[in-house]
Amino acid sequence: GLLGARMHSSQLGENPVQGMAALNAHLSSRTFYTSHTVSHQDTDLIELIRSQPELLKLAKEHSDYPHVFRWMRHCNSCGPAAAPPCAVARKQLQVLERLARVRNLAAELEAKITGTPSNPQQWRDVLGDANRLDEHCLAEGLSQFRFIRVPGDYYDRTLEERRALVGASSTAQLCKTIVMKNTKWQDNSSQTNPQFICVILQYVTKLNADAVKKVVADANPGIGRKHFNFQLASSDDSFRLTGYAHNAVVPVGMKLKLPIILSDQIPKLELFWLGAGEVDLKLGVNTKEFCRVLKPTIARVVH
């Protein structure tokens, strides 16, 4: 809590707009900064905001920073940090908790209604005639996989809601495939020195581009490290190479078969979920079979 408050104070001082946005996001599921009552972290941050006209003006923008606006109003109504718990704040927290439970139950109900096909005969009903990803999976040698359709607003929902929609046991099973480009690439016709690669990581983790660079550079000891600098590929490059749009990339059935780096956190899972060629379609795969068949490089590439 203390380190978080210091971080937000620093962000507010360095870049008021970004700092206010970060604080607003932090308060989106909280009544107060760290607990159910006003604490010194709340009062210190509010004092900082009030001391700077630009920050105070931003905090009053209810439409842009609704959670900051609500938080300051509650802190004012509850008085100093030594004051007893605020009944209004407790009531609001209870409402937020109930709302979260209702949304998760709704997501689980949607998943049950949609259902997950259990046999190949049902896949076509879910995939439609245009998407042949099931055939690509079988051609690659995969046999333990499943598909599920999700609502069109899937990526507007929380990770917990997404977990419920696909029937995952944990948000750790929700993964994504991204295409990265070596911007310093020099062609030496080596399979260990690709210009583009696929990286699969969990949504609960954060990509470490320097770690990706190290993995590829270590595989090419004869090439100077100055020739490695991996960044996210442009959407045009990603689509050109994979044939899949943003939020739908999957390392199966791509136009050009790219090397795969799999985050070392994923093999700890029994199965994981990926995009499936369409934004509202998801593919669940057995982790051991995926690693055995597609033979990705498994490495620590996340923070």
Side-chain angles (χ1 to χ4, degrees), residues 68-272:
V68 172
F69 182 90
R70 166 189 52 74
W71 164 70
M72 291 187 67
R73 184 179 60 190
H74 280 313
C75 288
N76 290 337
S77 67
C78 293
C86 175
V88 174
R90 289 201 306 271
K91 184 68 174 178
Q92 185 180 46
L93 183 61
Q94 292 171 357
V95 171
L96 288 172
E97 291 172 346
R98 289 173 185 169
L99 179 60
R101 288 197 295 270
V102 169
R103 294 185 69 177
N104 289 338
L105 287 172
E108 290 174 358
L109 179 59
E110 284 184 86
K112 289 179 180 178
I113 292 174
T114 304
T116 303
S118 57
N119 60 71
Q121 289 73 29
Q122 294 176 308
W123 292 339
R124 189 55 48 216
D125 293 335
V126 175
L127 296 176
D129 293 331
N131 191 322
R132 317 305 293 189
L133 187 57
D134 56 331
E135 297 174 1
H136 291 307
C137 287
L138 293 171
E140 289 278 5
L142 295 172
S143 61
Q144 300 180 54
F145 58 92
R146 64 188 75 169
F147 298 99
I148 190 167
R149 285 282 175 191
V150 294
D153 64 348
Y154 178 82
Y155 285 103
D156 294 327
R157 303 194 184 205
T158 65
L159 283 180
E160 181 58 30
E161 288 178 281
R162 295 186 216 172
R163 177 207 64 75
L165 283 170
V166 300
S169 61
S170 166
T171 55
Q173 292 182 331
L174 306 181
C175 301
K176 57 184 174 181
T177 305
I178 60 175
V179 178
M180 300 193 74
K181 177 181 181 180
N182 181 1
T183 62
K184 299 297 179 76
W185 181 73
Q186 288 190 348
D187 187 9
N188 67 347
S189 301
S190 170
Q191 291 185 344
T192 61
N193 180 35
Q195 184 179 15
F196 294 92
I197 58 172
C198 279
V199 179
I200 302 175
L201 66 156
Q202 299 156 292
Y203 275 97
V204 295
T205 60
K206 184 177 180 181
L207 177 69
N208 183 347
D210 288 336
V212 174
K213 168 184 174 179
K214 183 178 186 303
V215 171
V216 182
D218 286 351
N220 294 276
I223 303 175
R225 290 186 176 260
K226 67 180 181 179
H227 296 300
F228 298 96
N229 180 46
F230 280 90
Q231 297 181 4
L232 290 178
S234 68
S235 57
D236 288 342
D237 276 339
S238 180
F239 183 78
R240 174 176 58 84
L241 296 166
T242 68
Y244 301 125
H246 179 61
N247 284 335
V249 179
V250 57
V252 178
M254 295 185 294
K255 287 183 176 180
L256 179 66
K257 195 166 185 176
L258 300 177
I260 303 170
I261 295 179
L262 185 73
S263 167
D264 66 348
Q265 302 302 298
I266 296 176
K268 300 174 184 178
L269 307 170
E270 181 179 355
L271 63 89
F272 62 99

Side-chain angles (χ1 to χ4, degrees), residues 35 37-43 75 78-86:
S35 64
T37 60
V38 180
S39 66
H40 66 87
Q41 283 98 338
D42 294 280
T43 55
C75 288
C78 293
C86 175

